[in-house]
Amino acid sequence: MTEPEVTVPEVSAPENPVRVVLVDDQQLVRAGFRMVIDSQPDLTVVAEASDGADAVRVVTSTPADVVLMDVRMPGLDGIEATRQITGRLGEDGPKVVVLTTFDLDEYVVSAIGAGASGFLLKDAPPEELLAAVRTVHAGDAVIAASSTRRLLQHVGPLLRAGAATSAGAAPGLPPDLTPRELEVLECMAHGLTNSEIATRFVVSEATVKTHVGRVLAKTRSRDRVQAVVLAFSAGLVQPGEVLRDAR
């Protein structure tokens, strides 16, 4: 019995394709990712690295937009490599999508705490991998719905406790956030997509994107993940809390 062919969405070639760096200690894994990514006209692999230390060196010297980062590698692991990359390059650096074979809470919280913009399982279908690259490059977050729910129920308190320990007190939200922007941030923390937020408030998706952009700017967040981290740390969202009815 032959294997079914994997189909991926066709995308027209832009003038500047998204530049991707692959980081994994297994050459065959990198080769597979490269084949999938380079098959797309709007994506291109610009570099590879086989461990965390090599990843930091490559990413800090090679212009890139997105890094696909393995978690478990010898020497410097993917979490620490992500922390060093985001720490050195800041907002000007590439977005990092952490890849792992294990769907565990500690990996999720460690990855987002290190500055990752996404979290994806290695066995995700090719179309999900491609969507993840495009999504984080567009400024959105990639965290599976199941992981978002667990973050709210279990990982949220860890984020808040960690923020209080490192900073002396849990950080607060910017005072210039409007009531609507606070509601949008709360929805983001509950894992709602822009489309779902638009439906909830009976507005256009373009309006939601404007609100999200203002939330990111006012909270100085690189992307949705970092804004959600702040929402947890500041106590806007509580463990076990149900999203309130729209006002």
Side-chain angles (χ1 to χ4, degrees):
M1 186 174 180
T2 59
E3 291 286 338
E5 292 186 4
V6 175
T7 59
V8 294
E10 293 185 3
V11 179
S12 59
E15 293 183 4
N16 300 307
V18 178
R19 300 163 297 182
V20 181
V21 174
L22 303 177
V23 184
D24 197 291
D25 61 330
Q26 298 183 47
Q27 186 175 358
L28 285 177
V29 172
R30 297 199 309 273
F33 286 158
R34 176 183 280 273
M35 181 175 64
V36 171
I37 292 169
D38 281 344
S39 72
Q40 301 298 293
D42 63 324
L43 308 175
T44 182
V45 175
V46 294
E48 297 183 17
S50 59
D51 58 52
D54 193 30
V56 174
R57 180 186 61 79
V58 168
V59 173
T60 53
S61 62
T62 304
D65 301 303
V66 177
V67 179
L68 296 180
M69 179 78 73
D70 186 24
V71 168
R72 300 179 59 156
M73 295 182 291
L76 194 70
D77 65 21
I79 300 299
E80 182 56 33
T82 297
R83 182 174 290 106
Q84 291 190 22
I85 290 170
T86 57
R88 292 184 187 185
L89 301 180
E91 295 183 3
D92 296 328
K95 305 293 179 64
V96 179
V97 177
V98 172
L99 299 167
T100 181
T101 54
F102 302 94
D103 187 14
L104 300 177
D105 287 344
E106 58 261 35
Y107 287 144
V108 177
V109 70
S110 296
I112 63 176
S117 299
F119 179 87
L120 198 65
L121 294 180
K122 278 188 177 181
D123 60 359
E127 57 268 25
E128 287 189 17
L129 175 67
L130 296 173
V133 173
R134 295 181 178 119
T135 298
V136 298
H137 181 252
D140 291 331
V142 177
I143 299 183
S146 60
S147 295
T148 300
R149 287 192 294 269
R150 289 203 312 276
L151 278 173
L152 181 61
Q153 299 298 330
H154 306 298
V155 183
L158 298 178
L159 288 170
R160 191 174 187 188
T165 300
S166 60
L173 295 170
D176 57 343
L177 284 174
T178 67
R180 176 63 84 194
E181 288 164 356
L182 283 170
E183 290 175 327
V184 169
L185 177 55
E186 184 180 4
C187 289
M188 291 163 59
H190 278 270
L192 271 64
T193 65
N194 285 356
S195 177
E196 291 169 337
I197 297 173
T199 299
R200 177 178 176 82
F201 295 121
V202 196
V203 297
S204 69
E205 194 166 341
T207 297
V208 173
K209 288 182 179 179
T210 298
H211 285 312
V212 170
R214 289 172 178 166
V215 168
L216 297 183
K218 291 181 179 180
T219 60
R220 298 184 178 180
S221 302
R222 296 177 70 242
D223 47 46
R224 292 172 77 107
V225 168
Q226 301 309 310
V228 169
V229 169
L230 178 61
F232 283 135
S233 302
L236 179 65
V237 181
Q238 299 292 340
E241 181 181 60
V242 177
L243 187 59
R244 294 171 292 179
D245 293 334
R247 295 186 291 276

